[in-house]
Amino acid sequence: MTSIRLLISVAATHQWPLLQLDVKNAFLNGHLSEEVYMRPPPGLPHATGLVCCLRRALYGLKQSPRAWYARFHDVVLQIGFQPSTHESALFFRRTSRGLVLILLYVDDMVITGSDSTAIDEVKHHLFHEFEMKDLGLLQYFLGIEVASSPKGYLLTQTKYVTDILHRAQLTDDKNIDTPIELHVKFSDSDGVPLADPTEYRELVGSLVYLTVTRPDIAYAVHIVSQFVCAPQSTHWAALLRILRYVRGTMFQCLFLSSSSSDLILRAYADADWAGDISDRKSTYGFCVFLGDSLISWKSKKQSVIARFTAEAEYRAMAHATSEVVWLRWLLSDMGVTISSPTPLFCDNKSAIQIAHNSVFHECTKHIEIDCHFVRHHLQSGTIALPFISSSLQLADFFTETHTSARFRFLLGKLSMLSGLAS
């Protein structure tokens, strides 16, 4: 999903068209490289003891996705495309007139680029090889509604939200201005176990996919998703609060701007030290912007316990650095070269000093690999580590709860708009 947002952001800035194609019965185009047999389907007359030998991949067969991808890979390579080594779903072709990009997700693909003639040639070749539908300009992709405007693209999941709320069957009309209560802490033993956790798990899973265009619920969904194994009544109440917030902000959308003159990355990383009262693990969060557009974010609990604040912050910095390095590689495949260091804003001076200090000491022996990783990219000019005050730390949005005023302030910095207002 980050690759999709990145591709749309690059296309918006360059004023490239975004075209969508759909392959009919995509898996049936895959060629099997091994012998696979199946029972004859019901209703097919056959002699006793005979089985079917498959010549093509079928839906439901484990080999089908790989066989279809291999076939598509071979077809686009024939016309000069190269697969990205950093994103297996991305293919690019450089021509004398510009660049063509294809992003494939199963049977849906998005084509964009600066060479309109080459794009038409690619479409003609694909229609010759596969049975396809030309869906025109990108409007609906993987449940994401894409609306274009002179200022950029709006990504929203309004229809998906409607389906979630219909499934939840909320009985009240109460809306909430923040998705999670201020200073709330949850544990595995809170409340009473749910008699049937199925609905809880289904709704949490649905909300996880909603975070594709809704970073404003990323932290809250991260919290409730930790209890899907054995949810309690308090966790159910927290889930309902998220749903009420989503209902009141149904038309909230992610805005990818086309007005950015320079495609420059900037990142923010933060951590809430020992914030989980059950295991005292820290929650880290980061967000990455391309120009004015938010393209990547994460809210996740760290896998190990940090002994002090700087350690938790440094681990968050390492995760953000990894994301920045990957995005710079991916942008290079999309024809965008970034030569200057990417600023990674951190509000912890101790963590910044550790990155600049080449001498390891007692405070860093638990995070030695992270130290080497961040310091390497700092010295090689991939990242820079400017200090930012906690009040302006945008990654704080993904690590802890906030008051309504603070929540609205941070939300306003994340390139999100109300769909009705836009």
Side-chain angles (χ1 to χ4, degrees):
M1 291 303 171
T2 300
S3 303
I4 293 172
R5 292 189 294 263
L6 185 64
L7 181 70
I8 295 175
S9 182
V10 171
T13 303
H14 289 312
Q15 302 295 321
W16 293 343
L18 283 166
L19 307 175
Q20 184 177 4
L21 302 177
D22 178 75
V23 184
K24 297 180 181 179
N25 300 319
F27 285 177
L28 299 185
N29 293 286
H31 298 303
L32 295 173
S33 59
E34 64 274 338
E35 289 188 354
V36 179
Y37 299 92
M38 63 172 283
R39 293 189 182 95
L44 177 67
H46 63 281
T48 304
L50 295 183
V51 295
C52 294
C53 179
L54 294 183
R55 298 173 59 187
R56 297 289 183 90
L58 292 179
Y59 281 81
L61 190 68
K62 292 181 179 179
Q63 294 92 332
S64 294
R66 184 177 296 273
W68 155 239
Y69 178 82
R71 173 75 193 289
F72 183 85
H73 178 276
D74 293 341
V75 167
V76 295
L77 256 61
Q78 293 172 5
I79 53 176
F81 277 86
Q82 301 178 49
S84 170
T85 56
H86 312 110
E87 172 58 84
S88 58
L90 179 68
F91 300 84
F92 62 93
R93 173 187 171 188
R94 292 184 172 90
T95 69
S96 59
R97 296 180 298 271
L99 177 71
V100 181
L101 299 168
I102 298 178
L103 190 65
L104 175 72
Y105 188 87
V106 190
D107 56 353
D108 290 305
M109 69 182 74
V110 177
I111 301 180
T112 187
S114 56
D115 189 344
S116 57
T117 302
I119 291 176
D120 292 336
E121 293 173 354
V122 171
K123 289 172 62 178
H124 177 76
H125 183 77
L126 292 175
F127 273 87
H128 177 73
E129 293 288 338
F130 309 114
E131 187 177 357
M132 305 181 67
K133 290 187 295 185
D134 189 344
L135 302 179
L137 295 176
L138 182 64
Q139 294 181 334
Y140 194 79
F141 188 73
L142 306 179
I144 303 170
E145 300 151 42
V146 182
S148 62
S149 73
K151 295 182 179 180
Y153 287 90
L154 297 172
L155 274 56
T156 182
Q157 293 170 275
T158 304
K159 182 180 181 301
Y160 185 70
V161 169
T162 303
D163 295 339
I164 295 175
L165 296 176
H166 177 73
R167 189 187 315 162
Q169 297 181 345
L170 295 178
T171 57
D172 57 54
D173 297 327
K174 184 179 180 182
N175 293 329
I176 307 294
D177 55 358
T178 59
I180 191 167
E181 187 180 347
L182 184 64
H183 301 315
V184 67
K185 299 291 183 180
F186 296 103
S187 69
D188 296 333
S189 57
D190 286 338
V192 180
L194 299 183
D196 184 6
T198 302
E199 186 177 6
Y200 180 92
R201 293 167 180 166
E202 291 177 348
L203 290 173
V204 169
S206 299
L207 289 174
V208 167
Y209 190 69
L210 184 58
T211 60
V212 168
T213 60
R214 296 290 301 268
D216 52 329
I217 64 170
Y219 175 72
V221 173
H222 147 75
I223 293 297
V224 296
S225 64
Q226 297 179 36
F227 306 103
V228 291
C229 292
Q232 310 284 318
S233 56
T234 52
H235 309 143
W236 175 255
L239 176 62
L240 293 180
R241 181 186 177 95
I242 299 174
L243 292 172
R244 292 188 177 100
Y245 168 78
V246 168
R247 182 176 59 188
T249 57
M250 182 179 298
F251 298 100
Q252 195 89 337
C253 55
L254 185 68
F255 178 60
L256 302 180
S257 174
S258 61
S259 60
S260 300
S261 57
D262 296 319
L263 290 174
I264 298 176
L265 286 174
R266 56 187 171 93
Y268 299 80
D270 194 25
D272 177 32
W273 178 55
D276 193 304
I277 60 175
S278 299
D279 53 19
R280 308 309 291 179
K281 291 182 179 179
S282 308
T283 297
Y284 77 89
F286 66 76
C287 56
V288 185
F289 291 80
L290 180 64
D292 298 327
S293 304
L294 178 63
I295 57 171
S296 179
W297 58 86
K298 178 168 284 190
S299 176
K300 190 173 182 179
K301 188 161 69 171
Q302 294 182 352
S303 57
V304 296
I305 299 174
R307 299 181 64 189
F308 50 92
T309 305
E311 180 181 340
E313 296 274 358
Y314 203 92
R315 291 189 188 277
M317 190 187 298
H319 287 292
T321 300
S322 178
E323 186 77 358
V324 166
V325 171
W326 175 69
L327 287 171
R328 288 170 66 101
W329 287 341
L330 198 56
L331 281 169
S332 178
D333 290 339
M334 294 182 181
V336 179
T337 301
I338 299 178
S339 56
S340 59
T342 297
L344 173 55
F345 294 95
C346 178
D347 61 0
N348 188 283
K349 292 184 177 179
S350 296
I352 295 176
Q353 290 170 356
I354 291 173
H356 284 280
N357 184 7
S358 61
V359 179
F360 288 93
H361 46 78
E362 185 177 358
C363 291
T364 61
K365 64 183 180 181
H366 303 289
I367 51 174
E368 180 181 358
I369 295 177
D370 286 336
C371 281
H372 281 297
F373 178 72
V374 174
R375 190 170 297 141
H376 166 75
H377 287 289
L378 179 65
Q379 294 175 349
S380 62
T382 305
I383 62 170
L385 296 174
F387 175 77
I388 191 172
S389 66
S390 297
S391 61
L392 298 176
Q393 175 57 274
L394 302 187
D396 192 36
F397 195 72
F398 302 98
T399 61
E400 59 185 357
T401 61
H402 302 283
T403 63
S404 298
R406 174 71 174 167
F407 184 86
R408 288 193 299 270
F409 169 78
L410 293 173
L411 184 61
K413 302 292 184 179
L414 296 182
S415 69
M416 295 198 68
L417 299 173
S418 170
L420 291 179
S422 62

